[in-house]
Tab-separated table of all heavy atoms in Angstrom:
chain	number	residue	atom	x	y	z
F	1	LYS	N	-61.556	-19.030	22.826
F	1	LYS	CA	-60.307	-19.527	23.402
F	1	LYS	C	-59.390	-18.396	23.840
F	1	LYS	O	-58.712	-18.484	24.866
F	1	LYS	CB	-59.595	-20.419	22.383
F	1	LYS	CG	-58.381	-21.146	22.934
F	1	LYS	CD	-57.811	-22.096	21.901
F	1	LYS	CE	-56.616	-22.849	22.477
F	1	LYS	NZ	-56.049	-23.816	21.485
F	2	ASN	N	-59.368	-17.297	23.079
F	2	ASN	CA	-58.482	-16.184	23.416
F	2	ASN	C	-59.146	-15.142	24.310
F	2	ASN	O	-58.577	-14.093	24.584
F	2	ASN	CB	-57.941	-15.520	22.146
F	2	ASN	CG	-59.041	-14.909	21.280
F	2	ASN	OD1	-60.216	-14.912	21.657
F	2	ASN	ND2	-58.659	-14.392	20.127
F	3	ARG	N	-60.381	-15.437	24.741
F	3	ARG	CA	-61.122	-14.550	25.642
F	3	ARG	C	-61.356	-13.165	25.052
F	3	ARG	O	-61.355	-12.151	25.761
F	3	ARG	CB	-60.419	-14.439	27.002
F	3	ARG	CG	-60.321	-15.749	27.753
F	3	ARG	CD	-61.669	-16.391	27.910
F	3	ARG	NE	-61.609	-17.702	28.547
F	3	ARG	CZ	-62.625	-18.562	28.602
F	3	ARG	NH1	-63.785	-18.228	28.040
F	3	ARG	NH2	-62.512	-19.729	29.207
F	4	LYS	N	-61.560	-13.139	23.754
F	4	LYS	CA	-61.899	-11.890	23.078
F	4	LYS	C	-63.140	-12.121	22.224
F	4	LYS	O	-63.340	-13.217	21.699
F	4	LYS	CB	-60.750	-11.422	22.179
F	4	LYS	CG	-59.468	-11.069	22.921
F	4	LYS	CD	-58.390	-10.636	21.943
F	4	LYS	CE	-57.090	-10.292	22.670
F	4	LYS	NZ	-56.027	-9.883	21.712
F	5	ASP	N	-63.977	-11.084	22.098
F	5	ASP	CA	-65.130	-11.209	21.215
F	5	ASP	C	-64.664	-11.526	19.807
F	5	ASP	O	-63.653	-10.981	19.333
F	5	ASP	CB	-65.931	-9.901	21.193
F	5	ASP	CG	-66.758	-9.698	22.454
F	5	ASP	OD1	-66.745	-10.589	23.316
F	5	ASP	OD2	-67.413	-8.641	22.561
F	6	ALA	N	-65.397	-12.404	19.141
F	6	ALA	CA	-65.056	-12.767	17.761
F	6	ALA	C	-66.205	-12.376	16.845
F	6	ALA	O	-67.345	-12.778	17.072
F	6	ALA	CB	-64.787	-14.257	17.663
F	7	ARG	N	-65.900	-11.562	15.835
F	7	ARG	CA	-66.901	-11.209	14.815
F	7	ARG	C	-66.519	-11.948	13.543
F	7	ARG	O	-65.495	-11.656	12.918
F	7	ARG	CB	-66.951	-9.711	14.569
F	7	ARG	CG	-67.915	-9.342	13.436
F	7	ARG	CD	-67.897	-7.862	13.114
F	7	ARG	NE	-68.527	-7.057	14.149
F	7	ARG	CZ	-68.997	-5.824	13.944
F	7	ARG	NH1	-68.920	-5.272	12.737
F	7	ARG	NH2	-69.543	-5.149	14.933
F	8	GLN	N	-67.350	-12.914	13.158
F	8	GLN	CA	-67.060	-13.740	11.990
F	8	GLN	C	-68.125	-13.499	10.915
F	8	GLN	O	-69.322	-13.700	11.156
F	8	GLN	CB	-67.051	-15.217	12.389
F	8	GLN	CG	-66.106	-15.557	13.544
F	8	GLN	CD	-64.654	-15.258	13.251
F	8	GLN	OE1	-64.143	-14.218	13.648
F	8	GLN	NE2	-64.001	-16.144	12.527
F	9	TYR	N	-67.690	-13.095	9.734
F	9	TYR	CA	-68.603	-12.780	8.643
F	9	TYR	C	-69.018	-14.057	7.907
F	9	TYR	O	-68.245	-15.016	7.807
F	9	TYR	CB	-67.957	-11.797	7.674
F	9	TYR	CG	-67.772	-10.427	8.281
F	9	TYR	CD1	-66.562	-10.070	8.877
F	9	TYR	CD2	-68.813	-9.503	8.285
F	9	TYR	CE1	-66.396	-8.827	9.461
F	9	TYR	CE2	-68.654	-8.253	8.853
F	9	TYR	CZ	-67.448	-7.919	9.449
F	9	TYR	OH	-67.299	-6.686	10.042
F	10	ILE	N	-70.243	-14.055	7.406
F	10	ILE	CA	-70.777	-15.212	6.682
F	10	ILE	C	-71.384	-14.751	5.368
F	10	ILE	O	-71.642	-13.562	5.174
F	10	ILE	CB	-71.835	-15.966	7.514
F	10	ILE	CG1	-73.002	-15.031	7.869
F	10	ILE	CG2	-71.222	-16.572	8.761
F	10	ILE	CD1	-74.153	-15.726	8.579
F	11	LEU	N	-71.613	-15.694	4.468
F	11	LEU	CA	-72.203	-15.376	3.173
F	11	LEU	C	-73.711	-15.157	3.320
F	11	LEU	O	-74.349	-15.664	4.227
F	11	LEU	CB	-71.925	-16.505	2.181
F	11	LEU	CG	-70.444	-16.763	1.870
F	11	LEU	CD1	-70.308	-17.935	0.912
F	11	LEU	CD2	-69.779	-15.520	1.296
F	12	ARG	N	-74.265	-14.411	2.374
F	12	ARG	CA	-75.675	-14.047	2.437
F	12	ARG	C	-76.594	-15.262	2.412
F	12	ARG	O	-77.601	-15.299	3.107
F	12	ARG	CB	-76.005	-13.099	1.280
F	12	ARG	CG	-77.475	-12.773	1.084
F	12	ARG	CD	-78.108	-12.180	2.340
F	12	ARG	NE	-77.477	-10.930	2.731
F	12	ARG	CZ	-77.752	-10.301	3.867
F	12	ARG	NH1	-78.626	-10.830	4.715
F	12	ARG	NH2	-77.147	-9.158	4.167
F	13	ASP	N	-76.256	-16.296	1.614
F	13	ASP	CA	-77.153	-17.450	1.540
F	13	ASP	C	-77.245	-18.173	2.876
F	13	ASP	O	-78.312	-18.630	3.281
F	13	ASP	CB	-76.726	-18.412	0.422
F	13	ASP	CG	-75.342	-19.003	0.655
F	13	ASP	OD1	-74.544	-18.404	1.394
F	13	ASP	OD2	-75.060	-20.087	0.097
F	14	LEU	N	-76.121	-18.261	3.595
F	14	LEU	CA	-76.142	-18.870	4.925
F	14	LEU	C	-76.945	-18.000	5.883
F	14	LEU	O	-77.723	-18.509	6.698
F	14	LEU	CB	-74.728	-19.071	5.449
F	14	LEU	CG	-74.612	-19.589	6.889
F	14	LEU	CD1	-75.352	-20.906	7.070
F	14	LEU	CD2	-73.137	-19.750	7.279
F	15	ALA	N	-76.782	-16.690	5.791
F	15	ALA	CA	-77.539	-15.771	6.653
F	15	ALA	C	-79.038	-15.947	6.439
F	15	ALA	O	-79.819	-15.978	7.417
F	15	ALA	CB	-77.120	-14.329	6.364
F	16	ASP	N	-79.450	-16.092	5.198
F	16	ASP	CA	-80.877	-16.279	4.908
F	16	ASP	C	-81.395	-17.585	5.497
F	16	ASP	O	-82.505	-17.638	6.063
F	16	ASP	CB	-81.108	-16.265	3.392
F	16	ASP	CG	-80.862	-14.891	2.778
F	16	ASP	OD1	-80.860	-13.898	3.525
F	16	ASP	OD2	-80.677	-14.825	1.543
F	17	ASP	N	-80.597	-18.639	5.395
F	17	ASP	CA	-81.010	-19.940	5.944
F	17	ASP	C	-81.064	-19.900	7.467
F	17	ASP	O	-81.960	-20.491	8.086
F	17	ASP	CB	-80.046	-21.037	5.476
F	17	ASP	CG	-80.168	-21.337	3.991
F	17	ASP	OD1	-81.216	-21.005	3.412
F	17	ASP	OD2	-79.212	-21.903	3.427
F	18	LEU	N	-80.109	-19.208	8.087
F	18	LEU	CA	-80.119	-19.084	9.544
F	18	LEU	C	-81.306	-18.253	10.013
F	18	LEU	O	-81.861	-18.494	11.097
F	18	LEU	CB	-78.811	-18.451	10.030
F	18	LEU	CG	-77.559	-19.332	9.950
F	18	LEU	CD1	-76.311	-18.531	10.296
F	18	LEU	CD2	-77.683	-20.539	10.890
F	19	HIS	N	-81.716	-17.299	9.202
F	19	HIS	CA	-82.878	-16.470	9.510
F	19	HIS	C	-84.106	-17.362	9.687
F	19	HIS	O	-84.903	-17.188	10.619
F	19	HIS	CB	-83.126	-15.468	8.379
F	19	HIS	CG	-83.330	-14.067	8.850
F	19	HIS	ND1	-84.223	-13.727	9.844
F	19	HIS	CD2	-82.742	-12.890	8.472
F	19	HIS	CE1	-84.186	-12.438	10.047
F	19	HIS	NE2	-83.287	-11.897	9.236
F	20	VAL	N	-84.249	-18.306	8.796
F	20	VAL	CA	-85.387	-19.230	8.856
F	20	VAL	C	-85.274	-20.114	10.096
F	20	VAL	O	-86.261	-20.368	10.802
F	20	VAL	CB	-85.447	-20.100	7.587
F	20	VAL	CG1	-86.553	-21.138	7.698
F	20	VAL	CG2	-85.672	-19.225	6.357
F	21	LEU	N	-84.062	-20.588	10.379
F	21	LEU	CA	-83.849	-21.488	11.513
F	21	LEU	C	-84.223	-20.846	12.840
F	21	LEU	O	-84.843	-21.484	13.705
F	21	LEU	CB	-82.392	-21.935	11.551
F	21	LEU	CG	-81.979	-22.832	12.731
F	21	LEU	CD1	-82.676	-24.190	12.651
F	21	LEU	CD2	-80.465	-23.016	12.759
F	22	ILE	N	-83.869	-19.573	13.029
F	22	ILE	CA	-84.073	-18.928	14.334
F	22	ILE	C	-85.395	-18.159	14.422
F	22	ILE	O	-85.678	-17.543	15.454
F	22	ILE	CB	-82.913	-17.968	14.653
F	22	ILE	CG1	-82.912	-16.785	13.667
F	22	ILE	CG2	-81.576	-18.702	14.643
F	22	ILE	CD1	-81.921	-15.687	14.025
F	23	ALA	N	-86.199	-18.209	13.376
F	23	ALA	CA	-87.429	-17.397	13.321
F	23	ALA	C	-88.326	-17.592	14.536
F	23	ALA	O	-88.953	-16.638	15.006
F	23	ALA	CB	-88.177	-17.703	12.031
F	24	THR	N	-88.393	-18.800	15.046
F	24	THR	CA	-89.301	-19.085	16.165
F	24	THR	C	-88.567	-19.271	17.491
F	24	THR	O	-89.160	-19.694	18.476
F	24	THR	CB	-90.120	-20.347	15.861
F	24	THR	OG1	-89.234	-21.454	15.644
F	24	THR	CG2	-90.983	-20.148	14.623
F	25	LYS	N	-87.275	-18.969	17.506
F	25	LYS	CA	-86.488	-19.150	18.729
F	25	LYS	C	-86.492	-17.888	19.587
F	25	LYS	O	-86.545	-16.773	19.067
F	25	LYS	CB	-85.040	-19.539	18.389
F	25	LYS	CG	-84.877	-20.922	17.758
F	25	LYS	CD	-83.405	-21.202	17.454
F	25	LYS	CE	-83.205	-22.580	16.837
F	25	LYS	NZ	-83.331	-23.650	17.828
F	26	ALA	N	-86.404	-18.058	20.888
F	26	ALA	CA	-86.295	-16.920	21.807
F	26	ALA	C	-84.910	-16.296	21.652
F	26	ALA	O	-83.964	-16.972	21.247
F	26	ALA	CB	-86.500	-17.393	23.239
F	27	PRO	N	-84.761	-14.988	21.966
F	27	PRO	CA	-83.473	-14.306	21.793
F	27	PRO	C	-82.293	-14.989	22.466
F	27	PRO	O	-81.182	-14.943	21.949
F	27	PRO	CB	-83.738	-12.929	22.405
F	27	PRO	CG	-85.201	-12.719	22.221
F	27	PRO	CD	-85.814	-14.085	22.416
F	28	LYS	N	-82.522	-15.619	23.617
F	28	LYS	CA	-81.421	-16.254	24.335
F	28	LYS	C	-81.333	-17.757	24.102
F	28	LYS	O	-80.498	-18.430	24.704
F	28	LYS	CB	-81.546	-15.972	25.831
F	28	LYS	CG	-81.379	-14.493	26.187
F	28	LYS	CD	-81.414	-14.277	27.691
F	28	LYS	CE	-81.204	-12.805	28.038
F	28	LYS	NZ	-81.238	-12.566	29.511
F	29	ALA	N	-82.176	-18.259	23.229
F	29	ALA	CA	-82.163	-19.698	22.929
F	29	ALA	C	-80.962	-20.039	22.048
F	29	ALA	O	-80.534	-19.232	21.218
F	29	ALA	CB	-83.441	-20.097	22.225
F	30	PRO	N	-80.371	-21.229	22.214
F	30	PRO	CA	-79.248	-21.643	21.368
F	30	PRO	C	-79.663	-21.669	19.902
F	30	PRO	O	-80.787	-22.045	19.576
F	30	PRO	CB	-78.907	-23.042	21.880
F	30	PRO	CG	-79.456	-23.090	23.265
F	30	PRO	CD	-80.693	-22.250	23.237
F	31	VAL	N	-78.765	-21.255	19.031
F	31	VAL	CA	-79.036	-21.310	17.595
F	31	VAL	C	-79.157	-22.759	17.144
F	31	VAL	O	-80.061	-23.137	16.401
F	31	VAL	CB	-77.923	-20.605	16.807
F	31	VAL	CG1	-78.106	-20.826	15.289
F	31	VAL	CG2	-77.905	-19.114	17.119
F	32	PHE	N	-78.228	-23.594	17.628
F	32	PHE	CA	-78.202	-25.000	17.249
F	32	PHE	C	-78.507	-25.891	18.443
F	32	PHE	O	-77.944	-25.716	19.524
F	32	PHE	CB	-76.823	-25.376	16.687
F	32	PHE	CG	-76.418	-24.592	15.469
F	32	PHE	CD1	-75.406	-23.644	15.552
F	32	PHE	CD2	-77.045	-24.801	14.253
F	32	PHE	CE1	-75.018	-22.916	14.429
F	32	PHE	CE2	-76.674	-24.080	13.125
F	32	PHE	CZ	-75.663	-23.137	13.216
F	33	ASP	N	-79.405	-26.845	18.234
F	33	ASP	CA	-79.715	-27.815	19.288
F	33	ASP	C	-78.711	-28.958	19.195
F	33	ASP	O	-79.005	-30.050	18.698
F	33	ASP	CB	-81.148	-28.338	19.115
F	33	ASP	CG	-82.179	-27.242	19.323
F	33	ASP	OD1	-81.956	-26.398	20.209
F	33	ASP	OD2	-83.192	-27.226	18.604
F	34	LEU	N	-77.502	-28.692	19.671
F	34	LEU	CA	-76.418	-29.655	19.530
F	34	LEU	C	-76.563	-30.826	20.495
F	34	LEU	O	-77.011	-30.660	21.633
F	34	LEU	CB	-75.074	-28.978	19.770
F	34	LEU	CG	-74.668	-27.875	18.790
F	34	LEU	CD1	-73.293	-27.329	19.147
F	34	LEU	CD2	-74.653	-28.405	17.373
F	35	PRO	N	-76.147	-32.013	20.055
F	35	PRO	CA	-76.145	-33.167	20.955
F	35	PRO	C	-75.005	-33.027	21.963
F	35	PRO	O	-74.208	-32.078	21.897
F	35	PRO	CB	-75.898	-34.344	20.001
F	35	PRO	CG	-75.127	-33.751	18.871
F	35	PRO	CD	-75.702	-32.364	18.705
F	36	HIS	N	-74.901	-33.979	22.863
F	36	HIS	CA	-73.815	-33.972	23.846
F	36	HIS	C	-72.478	-33.953	23.110
F	36	HIS	O	-72.340	-34.483	22.007
F	36	HIS	CB	-73.903	-35.216	24.742
F	36	HIS	CG	-72.914	-35.211	25.866
F	36	HIS	ND1	-71.641	-35.723	25.743
F	36	HIS	CD2	-73.020	-34.745	27.140
F	36	HIS	CE1	-70.997	-35.582	26.889
F	36	HIS	NE2	-71.809	-34.992	27.756
F	37	GLU	N	-71.479	-33.333	23.736
F	37	GLU	CA	-70.158	-33.195	23.125
F	37	GLU	C	-69.613	-34.524	22.596
F	37	GLU	O	-68.987	-34.573	21.541
F	37	GLU	CB	-69.176	-32.605	24.157
F	37	GLU	CG	-67.828	-32.214	23.588
F	37	GLU	CD	-67.880	-30.999	22.688
F	37	GLU	OE1	-68.773	-30.156	22.896
F	37	GLU	OE2	-67.029	-30.890	21.786
F	38	SER	N	-69.857	-35.594	23.342
F	38	SER	CA	-69.328	-36.900	22.942
F	38	SER	C	-69.967	-37.437	21.674
F	38	SER	O	-69.437	-38.338	21.025
F	38	SER	CB	-69.525	-37.913	24.079
F	38	SER	OG	-70.910	-38.083	24.362
F	39	ASN	N	-71.131	-36.874	21.285
F	39	ASN	CA	-71.832	-37.364	20.098
F	39	ASN	C	-71.616	-36.481	18.861
F	39	ASN	O	-72.061	-36.844	17.762
F	39	ASN	CB	-73.336	-37.463	20.370
F	39	ASN	CG	-73.666	-38.645	21.263
F	39	ASN	OD1	-73.004	-39.675	21.221
F	39	ASN	ND2	-74.694	-38.493	22.097
F	40	LEU	N	-70.944	-35.341	19.032
F	40	LEU	CA	-70.734	-34.450	17.896
F	40	LEU	C	-69.897	-35.123	16.809
F	40	LEU	O	-70.240	-35.075	15.623
F	40	LEU	CB	-70.047	-33.165	18.355
F	40	LEU	CG	-70.944	-32.056	18.891
F	40	LEU	CD1	-70.099	-30.897	19.406
F	40	LEU	CD2	-71.914	-31.573	17.821
F	41	ALA	N	-68.797	-35.738	17.211
F	41	ALA	CA	-67.938	-36.407	16.231
F	41	ALA	C	-68.668	-37.587	15.607
F	41	ALA	O	-68.551	-37.828	14.393
F	41	ALA	CB	-66.644	-36.868	16.892
């Protein structure tokens, strides 16, 4: 929103779980396969 890079730190357990999630994803692939914006809520 502020047009600046954001570096957000996370806990190690979440990092480990995300490691598993992205293991087979391409470098430019989305981390999360999110539904359409209208379905998020």
Side-chain angles (χ1 to χ4, degrees):
K1 188 175 181 179
N2 63 4
R3 298 306 176 192
K4 296 179 181 179
D5 285 357
R7 176 184 288 201
Q8 306 299 98
Y9 291 95
I10 59 175
L11 298 178
R12 172 57 61 188
D13 63 337
L14 175 57
D16 292 342
D17 290 339
L18 288 173
H19 229 310
V20 175
L21 177 66
I22 66 172
T24 59
K25 292 180 179 285
K28 295 184 178 180
V31 172
F32 300 109
D33 294 323
L34 297 181
H36 186 272
E37 189 70 28
S38 62
N39 286 328
L40 275 175

